[in-house]
Amino acid sequence: HSTNLLAAMFQPMTCRYCLRHARVLFSTVAAVGSWSVEQAVSSGLCVDTCILDEAAQLVEAETAILLGRWPGLMQLIMVRIG
């Protein structure tokens, strides 16, 4: 039981650490809009490249919102598999 408690405590810290030190972010459409990524972007996320899976689900307006919220993003690679 203590292992589950430790995992629950360290997961947010690990996520924040990884997002703060990443240079490239691999993400799904759903995850890139998640609270963790939003918080990281607003606190100075240094990622300049995002490889976005499930990109066929996005419409142009959603892509514009993503780009507007992430001013430091230099490359957005949109992937559609299938």
Side-chain angles (χ1 to χ4, degrees):
H1 298 298
S2 63
T3 306
N4 292 339
L5 179 61
L6 286 174
M9 285 176 24
F10 288 112
Q11 182 184 11
M13 290 174 22
T14 304
C15 183
R16 281 193 301 271
Y17 176 85
C18 290
L19 285 172
R20 245 182 291 167
H21 293 86
R23 298 297 298 154
V24 175
L25 179 67
F26 297 89
S27 180
T28 61
V29 169
V32 81
S34 71
W35 184 83
S36 299
V37 174
E38 289 286 330
Q39 290 292 350
V41 169
S42 66
S43 66
L45 177 67
C46 64
V47 170
D48 57 9
T49 302
C50 178
I51 300 174
L52 189 61
D53 191 15
E54 302 171 351
Q57 296 178 18
L58 288 174
V59 295
E60 289 137 351
E62 291 170 331
T63 307
I65 291 169
L66 170 67
L67 295 173
R69 289 185 178 168
W70 201 336
L73 190 64
M74 303 295 284
Q75 295 181 36
L76 177 60
I77 302 166
M78 302 172 79
V79 178
R80 176 184 170 238
I81 298 175

